[in-house]
Amino acid sequence: MSTIESAFIDLQRLDRLAACDSAVHRLDPRVKVLITLAFLVCVVSFDKYAIAGLLPFALFLTLVIGLSGIPSGFVLNRVLLAAPLALLIGLFNPVYDHQPLMRFGTLVIAGGWLSLLSLVLRFCLTVGAVLALIATTGFNAVCRALEQLGMPTVLAVQLLLLYRYLFVLVEEGLRLNRARVLRSFQGRGLGIRACSFLLGSLLLRTLDRSQRIHLAMRCRGFDGTIHTRNPLRLNGRDVLTLTIVLAALLAMRVFDGPMLLGRFVTGLMA
Amino acid sequence: MHMADALLSPAVGGTFWAATVGAIAWCAKKVQQELNDRKVPLMGVLGAFVFAAQMINFTIPGTGSSGHIGGGMLLAILLGPQAAFLTIASVLVVQALFFADGGLLALGCNIFNLGFFPCFLAYPLLYKPLAGNGQNHRRIAAGAILAAVVGLQLGAVAVVAETVLSGISALPLQTFLWAMLPIHLAIGLVEGAVTATVVLFVRQARPEILDCAIGGQPPTARPIAKLLAGLAAAAVFTGGVLSWFASTFPDGLEWSIEQVRGKKELAAPAEGIHGMLAGFQEKIALLPDYAFTIGEQKAIGETVAHRAGPPAWPAVDAGTSVAGLVGGSLTLLLTLGLALLFRKRRAIA
Amino acid sequence: MRSSLLIEIRDLAHAYPDGTEALRGISLHIRAEESVAVVGANGAGKSTLLLHLNGSLISRHGTVRIGDFQVAKAALPDIRRTVGMVFQDPDDQLFMPTVAEDVAFGPLNLKLPLAEVERRVASALERVGAAHLRDRPPYKLSGGEKRLAAIATVLAMEPAILVMDEPSSSLDPRARRTLIELLAGFGHTKIIATHDLDLVLDLCPRTIVLRQGQVAADGPTDEIFADGRLLAACHLEQPLRLQACPVCGEKSGRLPQKGERL
Amino acid sequence: MRSSLLIEIRDLAHAYPDGTEALRGISLHIRAEESVAVVGANGAGKSTLLLHLNGSLISRHGTVRIGDFQVAKAALPDIRRTVGMVFQDPDDQLFMPTVAEDVAFGPLNLKLPLAEVERRVASALERVGAAHLRDRPPYKLSGGEKRLAAIATVLAMEPAILVMDEPSSSLDPRARRTLIELLAGFGHTKIIATHDLDLVLDLCPRTIVLRQGQVAADGPTDEIFADGRLLAACHLEQPLRLQACPVCGEKSGRLPQKGERL
Ligand SMILES: Nc1ncnc2c1ncn2[C@@H]1O[C@H](COP(=O)(O)OP(=O)(O)OP(=O)(O)O)[C@@H](O)[C@H]1O
Ligand SMILES: Nc1ncnc2c1ncn2[C@@H]1O[C@H](COP(=O)(O)OP(=O)(O)OP(=O)(O)O)[C@@H](O)[C@H]1O
Ligand SMILES: [Mg+2]
Ligand SMILES: [Mg+2]
């Protein structure tokens, strides 16, 4: 429970971050969504042993996070919180994959270790990218962007309401749970039966609430669709940014930057 | 369990995205057709309910650890399959965006794993027939438990399949299955029991709610068959297109080079998952790229010849190795430097 | 049109699907720009009555007329533009991501031009003194602020009649006072269901007392609050300000007569 | 033991994880069988303070002692048996299928013998006058009945201290009066957070005023309610019965002096 609770605190924090202002914040949400998707596809399209090739993407992400003024500690924290799963799965790689892939003198590195490192790296990049997207855009803007990119309206409206009532209902759930815990000594009373009744009454309240919300909406002329005031509009800057960044991502994916750099440097030294 | 972006290959991720997008579009159309505008807030608020429900923990009998419900089956029972699928999708979108559960690319997989099976297989094929018109408590309980168990087992199998097909993890199929299935059996039993109790509670308290919540017709076999066919087509199509793309992209290029040179790399990881996967992939010829393109350290245009004999790795060549290492470290340093720079600037500001 | 507006309820009865008879034959008239309180015990049917006024519930027994319209499916859009309803829990009413979007929700559904929507949003927020809350998400507002925002969402529809369910519940005394002053300044026809009889004293010259789904009394507020037996029978008691002062024991159980010095 | 019970709060500060500083250094003592009101504006920190009393929140800054125990993880079961908490919304507290099962929930978790549980259920329901509600499902009760049932669930654990958050909200005047009389009859130490200052006047000789997470005043209720400037600064106003009292209200700002004719 504490993890979910802390997730909610982070959620409010993300909301606050999204309300800040920076060059990245000002970009059209659709542009940011597209860039994020391109970024993710590039990152996961590397093969399982890739490490150096991923580093330019880390550079890119750092740049974006820095430009947008999101505290890097916050991002790192979140990534670390989410990391155990990737580590758990990844830890099996060294166990099962002994293929020697790299040799420095007498030191031979097995493929499993490389792929573990690669997995952790791509994990940080993918989680970090999504975090950066939300923290510079905000949930509602991302939803609106997705809607304009073709997500069905029903789903968009759904997300809107879900997000709004998340706060109300989680608060309600917490209160119910607190009231139960207060009367549950030595953990008795926390069993499945009591929990089901608790969920049942929370559900009843939720259903009642949805009825009241529906009434309130209908009172104000709701007819099944939610109209919004300002449709998003792309400006030249957005298009330009999109083009440049997509090209950059593609280049980073196609050309092995670190290798070229390394060549260049070792070439200089040689 | 949620799939994570990091465990996915683009081909697998893309395929499931396509399948999911298809399913969502179909559901959205269906829901809009029967548009009962009361369902709009109901779906949204029930989505939020799933999160609230996850705040309420229970002790799992016999283990002393605690858990919470997932809620998929409950949504299917309350909303009917199409609306429930959309609601589950929205819950997963929020989890992906905020809780770093999964990720954007893995969203397709996750919606499929956690939404498709309970809503379109377990609910109509198990819960509906078993629970009948909802008068008999035992049948409701049996239906909910069975449907939850089967739904979760299918989901778990799908997670394993997606991970293995992506080839990022080296976990062998069997081990993975053995780890996932029993755990999800237990989770499914608990989930089903809680779902059944909650449904019975609501049924007793406010029978009219369940009746009007379910509202629309139960899905007949035909639309589901149509949906399945459509999804399969979409999946095959995207899978095909994506793997073609993948195979024309850099790694694919290497792969074709290797093909031309002969399949010596293939022999190397013969044991464990890769052997199996490679064989599997050869058979289905759908996702040919990711299992056996090794060696990103080999830059485009690199001409250093392979040394013969396994274990073959392109960059065993010391020169390339050193260059890669130097370049990598420099990039890393650059990244760290940049991070520090921004940090300092912020501290000043 | 506004001055001719009139609410006419005749023989209204309503039973919920589970069989609870919440209203059992209610008849009343309310004139334009009247300010009327609806009071009664828990479960007397106040909220149910209010829901009938804007067609949120439509009963087969009895009729409700608002001005020239009979409340029925066909007239709903007109009815809802005329009757603005403020719900008891502002969280139910604020469902959009920001206060401004929420206030714009109604006008947008009326398909008004964007400039007009913008004007209405600004003016509604201005009137309740919540202009500074425009871009805040509703879940970050305090209880009193939420209430103001909820009222603004309704004002933006420019209704002629304001219907409110327990507007003062869970507000602190200052926020309650602010609300009362705000409402007193509105020229709308007002119908307020509440347990806060002191608020009734401040805002409504006329009071309707419900009891088990029927009208137990309907008349000038001061007469009703002077009738101890009626109040007791309806689970009510005198407004606190009319009760004996617990500190000095002075009984002030009557309304000050006009002209009399307090 | 009961007579020695004492609540001692020293330098209590609490910030919610999102950074909101809800309490900023609160110190107070409450003696056994005292009845104390906690009042203040929306968001002043009343609920947060109450949650610290039974360990629902445990702060790292400052200490809370209940009798011989310091509120901390280890002592929680004892604390929770000693401090009974009635929540603002009775729906939060009632979740079992019948009222009797709900009242029995706490005692059963204390592993009391069945006969004792039965006795406690009966006596708790008896004391709040809700014995007839035993077998009713909670979601079918009226607002006032729910409140009584919620209090019974707490009484069944036989706490020495009763902590209540806004006990009178959304009750009709009769139900509110019943509640006040019920609470007045309890010998427990009572701590009541509320916006209903007239209820404070009836129940609590002592009042603590919170303002932005700090104690703005702590003293005899009548003195506090006589201090107009303090009340205004804390978003409060005089209880309604004092406002209208021709004696107290007129001379708002001071209490009638002893010996002075009221
Ligand atoms: N959705 C519903 N289904 C069934 N019965 C209902 C429903 N809503 C209200 N009731 C019942 O109808 C009666 C009137 O309820 P209503 O809410 O109108 O009372 P009220 O006067 O507003 O009470 P309160 O002061 O507690 O708000 C009550 O007996 C209540 O239990
Ligand atoms: N779970 C929470 N997370 C973050 N902040 C919170 C939380 N609960 C309360 N707060 C904030 O803490 C402060 C004190 O809140 P609290 O609920 O204690 O006030 P209160 O005096 O009980 O107000 P009210 O009279 O409205 O009930 C407020 O600013 C509130 O917004
Ligand atoms: Mg009501
Ligand atoms: Mg409070």
Side-chain angles (χ1 to χ4, degrees):
Chain A
M1 189 173 99
S2 60
T3 58
I4 298 189
E5 237 182 306
S6 67
F8 275 95
I9 296 148
D10 283 349
L11 199 138
Q12 299 184 353
R13 180 117 189 252
L14 282 171
D15 245 18
R16 265 202 308 267
L17 287 176
C20 299
D21 186 46
S22 78
V24 184
H25 282 82
R26 283 189 296 268
L27 273 181
D28 185 287
R30 281 169 296 179
V31 169
K32 283 185 269 187
V33 168
L34 289 178
I35 290 177
T36 311
L37 280 178
F39 181 90
L40 291 176
V41 170
C42 286
V43 166
V44 302
S45 70
F46 278 98
D47 75 89
K48 65 187 284 193
Y49 299 111
I51 292 169
L54 290 172
L55 293 177
F57 289 88
L59 187 70
F60 175 80
L61 189 60
T62 312
L63 187 71
V64 171
I65 290 178
L67 281 178
S68 58
I70 308 169
S72 47
F74 176 65
V75 177
L76 277 180
N77 215 344
R78 288 295 306 268
V79 172
L80 287 182
L81 270 183
L85 170 75
L87 276 181
L88 188 73
I89 301 280
L91 274 179
F92 287 97
N93 286 6
V95 176
Y96 287 104
D97 184 356
H98 299 294
Q99 187 189 180
L101 281 191
M102 209 185 238
R103 196 177 297 146
F104 297 104
T106 54
L107 183 69
V108 176
I109 299 177
W113 291 106
L114 286 181
S115 63
L116 170 61
L117 189 58
S118 168
L119 204 156
V120 169
L121 200 56
R122 64 180 78 209
F123 185 81
C124 294
L125 290 178
T126 50
V127 172
V130 173
L131 267 179
L133 171 69
I134 282 295
T136 58
T137 315
F139 184 76
N140 292 307
V142 171
C143 283
R144 201 158 343 138
L146 288 176
E147 190 188 354
Q148 299 210 340
L149 290 173
M151 180 168 72
T153 316
V154 201
L155 192 60
V157 169
Q158 251 248 264
L159 282 167
L160 195 88
L161 287 170
L162 191 166
Y163 190 62
R164 165 69 181 92
Y165 286 100
L166 206 57
F167 297 93
V168 179
L169 289 187
V170 163
E171 194 62 34
E172 228 168 81
L174 275 177
R175 287 202 311 265
L176 272 163
N177 197 48
R178 183 178 281 152
R180 175 182 61 149
V181 167
L182 284 181
R183 292 193 284 149
S184 307
F185 300 92
Q186 286 92 34
R188 290 165 57 99
L190 299 176
I192 287 184
R193 192 176 115 90
C195 175
S196 304
F197 291 140
L198 208 65
L199 285 174
S201 50
L202 183 61
L203 183 58
L204 284 184
R205 290 166 69 164
T206 307
L207 294 171
D208 281 344
R209 187 182 285 280
S210 91
Q211 258 171 25
R212 293 196 305 267
I213 296 167
H214 180 239
L215 274 182
M217 291 172 117
R218 280 232 306 243
C219 287
R220 289 195 276 145
F222 177 64
D223 55 4
T225 48
I226 290 188
H227 309 273
T228 46
R229 264 179 313 168
N230 28 3
L232 301 170
R233 224 170 267 129
L234 278 182
N235 61 28
R237 202 176 68 98
D238 292 326
V239 178
L240 190 69
T241 316
L242 181 65
T243 326
I244 293 178
V245 173
L246 286 186
L249 287 175
L250 194 66
M252 290 191 313
R253 177 62 188 88
V254 174
F255 301 106
D256 189 341
M259 179 63 72
L260 296 179
L261 181 68
R263 281 264 169 65
F264 179 66
V265 174
T266 45
L268 278 188
M269 290 193 302
Chain B
M1 190 193 91
H2 289 45
M3 273 304 282
D5 279 355
L7 294 176
L8 272 184
S9 73
V12 174
T15 307
F16 279 90
W17 251 98
T20 302
V21 164
I24 286 180
W26 183 75
C27 289
K29 215 178 90 199
K30 278 276 165 200
V31 168
Q32 226 140 21
Q33 272 167 5
E34 57 163 283
L35 189 69
N36 169 359
D37 62 18
R38 164 178 294 182
K39 258 197 178 169
V40 175
L42 182 64
M43 286 162 64
V45 177
L46 279 179
F49 166 80
V50 170
F51 286 92
Q54 295 182 351
M55 316 294 291
I56 295 168
N57 281 24
F58 48 81
T59 346
I60 296 167
T63 63
S65 63
S66 64
H68 58 71
I69 69 163
M73 206 55 224
L74 191 58
L75 289 179
I77 295 172
L78 286 170
L79 287 169
Q82 290 95 7
F85 186 77
L86 290 180
T87 306
I88 293 174
S90 65
V91 167
L92 289 167
V93 168
V94 171
Q95 285 184 339
L97 290 179
F98 281 111
F99 301 162
D101 261 351
L104 273 187
L105 284 185
L107 201 51
C109 295
N110 285 324
I111 294 178
F112 193 86
N113 302 346
L114 297 171
F116 183 82
F117 296 117
C119 292
F120 295 118
L121 293 178
Y123 174 76
L125 302 182
L126 294 171
Y127 179 81
K128 265 271 148 189
L130 267 174
N133 58 2
Q135 298 307 323
N136 185 327
H137 288 191
R138 281 220 193 97
R139 289 179 56 181
I140 290 185
I145 292 178
L146 191 66
V149 167
V150 171
L152 271 173
Q153 290 289 300
L154 290 173
V157 171
V159 167
V160 173
E162 288 152 8
T163 312
V164 167
L165 282 177
S166 294
I168 305 289
S169 160
L171 210 54
L173 178 68
Q174 264 156 344
T175 320
F176 204 180
L177 276 180
W178 270 114
M180 293 285 283
L181 292 188
I183 292 179
H184 281 82
L185 179 66
I187 298 179
L189 285 171
V190 174
E191 171 98 17
V194 175
T195 304
T197 325
V198 171
V199 170
L200 292 176
F201 183 88
V202 173
R203 148 134 265 127
Q204 191 178 0
R206 302 268 278 283
E208 77 279 0
I209 281 182
L210 273 182
D211 299 337
C212 83
I214 291 171
Q217 272 70 48
T220 51
R222 180 115 45 81
I224 290 224
K226 244 195 311 192
L227 172 70
L228 279 176
L231 286 187
V236 168
F237 176 73
T238 2
V241 170
L242 273 176
S243 39
W244 178 75
F245 263 121
S247 62
T248 49
F249 246 64
D251 291 335
L253 200 65
E254 294 161 24
W255 173 73
S256 356
I257 295 170
E258 258 113 70
Q259 288 290 301
V260 174
R261 283 205 194 111
K263 296 193 176 179
K264 50 182 178 286
E265 259 94 5
L266 256 181
E271 52 176 302
I273 193 130
H274 283 283
M276 219 189 76
L277 237 194
F280 186 48
Q281 281 184 336
E282 268 187 327
K283 284 197 198 88
I284 60 170
L286 194 63
L287 313 160
D289 194 7
Y290 296 96
F292 40 100
T293 45
I294 319 169
E296 70 89 21
Q297 227 106 345
K298 183 178 51 153
I300 288 284
E302 184 198 352
T303 50
V304 181
H306 284 257
R307 294 203 193 125
W313 192 54
V316 179
D317 165 56
T320 326
S321 242
V322 168
L325 215 59
V326 169
S329 316
L330 282 177
T331 319
L332 200 61
L333 279 178
L334 208 57
T335 309
L336 290 177
L338 200 64
L340 282 178
L341 188 75
F342 278 122
R343 182 158 223 168
K344 205 168 273 167
R345 217 181 58 180
R346 261 169 25 103
I348 293 166
Chain C
M1 171 194 168
R2 185 178 278 197
S3 70
S4 79
L5 249 181
L6 176 114
I7 300 174
E8 186 189 343
I9 299 176
R10 203 178 294 163
D11 272 339
L12 184 68
H14 181 82
Y16 280 103
D18 66 350
T20 317
E21 290 185 46
L23 299 180
R24 329 173 180 222
I26 290 199
S27 299
L28 39 95
H29 281 249
I30 293 174
R31 282 179 307 279
E33 306 195 10
E34 235 183 336
S35 178
V36 180
V38 179
V39 302
N42 289 123
K46 303 181 292 299
S47 304
T48 311
L49 176 60
L50 296 197
L51 290 178
H52 279 88
L53 291 181
N54 67 351
S56 291
L57 290 176
I58 297 180
S59 185
R60 266 165 306 161
H61 306 283
T63 56
V64 178
R65 295 187 66 86
I66 311 283
D68 306 326
F69 301 107
Q70 171 148 352
V71 175
K73 271 267 154 62
L76 280 189
D78 291 305
I79 300 281
R80 290 191 173 146
R81 208 175 317 174
T82 317
V83 182
M85 174 117 183
V86 182
F87 285 71
Q88 176 169 359
D89 185 349
D91 269 325
D92 294 337
Q93 209 154 359
L94 303 170
F95 41 78
M96 298 290 283
T98 69
V99 171
E101 283 183 76
D102 225 313
V103 178
F105 180 87
L108 282 175
N109 284 333
L110 290 177
K111 310 247 159 68
L112 299 174
L114 280 188
E116 168 68 7
V117 171
E118 194 40 54
R119 191 195 62 73
R120 286 199 180 190
V121 171
S123 108
L125 285 173
E126 195 64 52
R127 285 183 75 181
V128 300
H132 59 292
L133 303 177
R134 267 195 85 90
D135 297 318
R136 300 264 294 278
Y139 57 87
K140 288 201 182 143
L141 304 181
S142 79
E145 290 170 339
K146 273 188 196 165
R147 189 81 51 168
L148 296 183
I151 295 177
T153 65
V154 170
L155 289 184
M157 309 270 290
E158 305 199 338
I161 302 172
L162 270 183
V163 174
M164 307 199 196
D165 202 351
E166 312 217 10
S168 69
S169 70
S170 74
L171 293 186
D172 67 40
R174 157 95 62 97
R176 173 178 171 278
R177 180 65 53 199
T178 313
L179 178 79
I180 290 179
E181 280 160 13
L182 183 72
L183 293 181
F186 288 164
H188 305 76
T189 309
K190 289 189 280 278
I191 302 170
I192 304 176
T194 185
H195 294 305
D196 182 349
L197 303 185
D198 291 87
L199 173 139
V200 174
L201 218 47
D202 285 332
L203 284 178
C204 307
R206 175 175 163 201
T207 297
I208 296 169
V209 184
L210 291 191
R211 188 180 159 207
Q212 299 180 356
Q214 292 178 314
V215 176
D218 179 356
T221 298
D222 41 9
E223 280 175 27
I224 286 189
F225 287 158
D227 185 344
R229 200 175 312 158
L230 169 74
L231 293 178
C234 299
H235 283 219
L236 300 174
E237 49 179 40
Q238 283 197 311
L240 295 162
R241 274 178 300 170
L242 301 186
Q243 294 177 12
C245 167
V247 175
C248 61
E250 183 98 351
K251 173 88 179 161
S252 55
R254 66 197 170 90
L255 280 181
Q257 303 302 307
K258 265 167 206 113
E260 184 188 30
R261 204 194 140 272
L262 262 182
Chain D
M1 170 191 166
R2 184 178 281 198
S3 70
S4 78
L5 248 179
L6 177 113
I7 299 175
E8 188 189 344
I9 298 176
R10 204 177 295 162
D11 271 338
L12 185 67
H14 182 80
Y16 280 102
D18 67 350
T20 318
E21 288 185 47
L23 300 179
R24 327 173 180 224
I26 289 199
S27 300
L28 38 96
H29 281 251
I30 293 174
R31 282 180 306 280
E33 308 197 5
E34 235 186 334
S35 178
V36 179
V38 179
V39 302
N42 287 123
K46 302 181 293 297
S47 304
T48 310
L49 176 61
L50 297 196
L51 289 177
H52 278 89
L53 293 181
N54 63 359
S56 290
L57 290 176
I58 297 181
S59 184
R60 266 165 304 161
H61 305 281
T63 57
V64 178
R65 293 188 67 86
I66 310 283
D68 305 326
F69 303 107
Q70 171 149 351
V71 175
K73 271 266 154 62
L76 279 188
D78 291 305
I79 300 279
R80 289 185 174 157
R81 207 176 319 174
T82 315
V83 181
M85 173 120 185
V86 182
F87 283 67
Q88 175 170 1
D89 185 349
D91 277 327
D92 289 338
Q93 222 156 347
L94 303 170
F95 53 86
M96 299 293 279
T98 70
V99 171
E101 278 185 81
D102 227 317
V103 178
F105 183 83
L108 280 176
N109 290 332
L110 284 173
K111 300 204 189 155
L112 298 174
L114 278 187
E116 169 68 6
V117 171
E118 191 41 52
R119 190 195 63 71
R120 286 198 179 190
V121 171
S123 107
L125 285 173
E126 195 65 51
R127 284 182 78 182
V128 301
H132 59 293
L133 303 177
R134 265 197 85 92
D135 298 318
R136 299 264 296 278
Y139 42 80
K140 293 224 168 122
L141 303 181
S142 78
E145 291 169 339
K146 272 187 195 165
R147 187 80 52 167
L148 297 183
I151 295 177
T153 64
V154 170
L155 289 185
M157 303 201 291
E158 306 198 338
I161 301 172
L162 271 184
V163 174
M164 308 201 193
D165 203 350
E166 312 216 11
S168 69
S169 71
S170 72
L171 292 185
D172 67 41
R174 157 94 63 96
R176 174 177 171 279
R177 181 65 53 199
T178 313
L179 177 80
I180 291 179
E181 281 160 13
L182 182 73
L183 294 182
F186 288 163
H188 304 75
T189 310
K190 288 188 282 278
I191 302 170
I192 303 177
T194 186
H195 293 304
D196 182 348
L197 303 186
D198 288 87
L199 173 140
V200 174
L201 221 45
D202 287 333
L203 284 177
C204 307
R206 175 177 163 201
T207 297
I208 296 168
V209 183
L210 291 192
R211 187 179 161 208
Q212 298 180 357
Q214 291 180 314
V215 176
D218 178 356
T221 298
D222 40 11
E223 280 178 23
I224 286 188
F225 287 157
D227 185 344
R229 199 171 318 157
L230 169 73
L231 293 178
C234 300
H235 282 217
L236 301 174
E237 46 179 44
Q238 281 198 311
L240 296 161
R241 279 176 297 173
L242 298 189
Q243 285 177 16
C245 171
V247 181
C248 304
E250 275 294 276
K251 316 175 209 163
S252 97
R254 67 190 182 94
L255 272 181
Q257 304 300 307
K258 271 176 199 100
E260 185 187 27
R261 207 208 139 267
L262 296 176

